[in-house]
Amino acid sequence: TADAYVNSSSPTKNYGNDSSLRVRGGTSSVYKSYLSFAPSGINGTIRSAKLRLFVTDASSQGGSVYSVASGWTETGINFNNAPALPQSAIASIGNTPASGFWAEVDVTAAVTGAGPLSFGLASGEWADIPDTAAAQLLADAATVIGVP
């Protein structure tokens, strides 16, 4: 698994070793986060896949989740070389009412089987996700992928 955030104010800096992921939109610094994992042992039709995020900052708009290209690395990604976010999100996180809130989004449409899988997170407001929770959520997401 890999996770990192990027910051428009420091477009060549890598934040892959930071202890949290961040998302924020607006006209000042833009933060986007990227998550990647490689589910394995999947045979058959995928019935459901959920991405769970442990949020540490309340926000009226927790952001959106996008399916993005794989191939980036946790210690190599920065704002300038991060995968582009497509025009349409696959899910919206919505309101995150309090610190310690688990946001869960349906990412079934993006999971086609075993292999690398990457997501980008972006928001119009600020949100903070602990890096340790993000790493755990990836393992959790892989275990809730259902096959017949």
Side-chain angles (χ1 to χ4, degrees):
T1 62
D3 55 38
Y5 72 87
V6 298
N7 177 355
S8 64
S9 293
S10 298
T12 60
K13 183 173 179 173
N14 172 265
Y15 295 93
N17 290 323
D18 276 25
S19 62
S20 65
L21 298 175
R22 298 175 179 189
V23 293
R24 179 173 65 185
T27 57
S28 61
S29 290
V30 172
Y31 291 81
K32 299 175 188 174
S33 286
Y34 291 85
L35 309 167
S36 179
F37 61 103
S40 62
I42 298 173
N43 297 310
T45 303
I46 295 168
R47 295 182 303 201
S48 176
K50 307 280 187 211
L51 184 64
R52 296 183 71 215
L53 302 166
F54 186 78
V55 180
T56 59
D57 286 335
S59 174
S60 63
Q61 201 334 346
S64 297
V65 179
Y66 300 82
S67 181
V68 299
S70 297
W72 57 272
T73 64
E74 185 172 67
T75 57
I77 192 171
N78 61 51
F79 194 86
N80 285 346
N81 68 12
L85 300 180
Q87 189 165 356
S88 297
I90 57 171
S92 177
I93 297 169
N95 184 31
T96 57
S99 179
F101 175 78
W102 279 98
E104 183 175 284
V105 293
D106 185 343
V107 294
T108 307
V111 182
T112 58
L117 182 61
S118 289
F119 296 105
L121 284 76
S123 178
E125 292 191 13
W126 179 261
D128 197 29
I129 305 162
D131 190 38
T132 52
Q136 183 62 44
L137 82 88
L138 297 177
D140 291 347
T143 63
V144 298
I145 295 171
V147 294

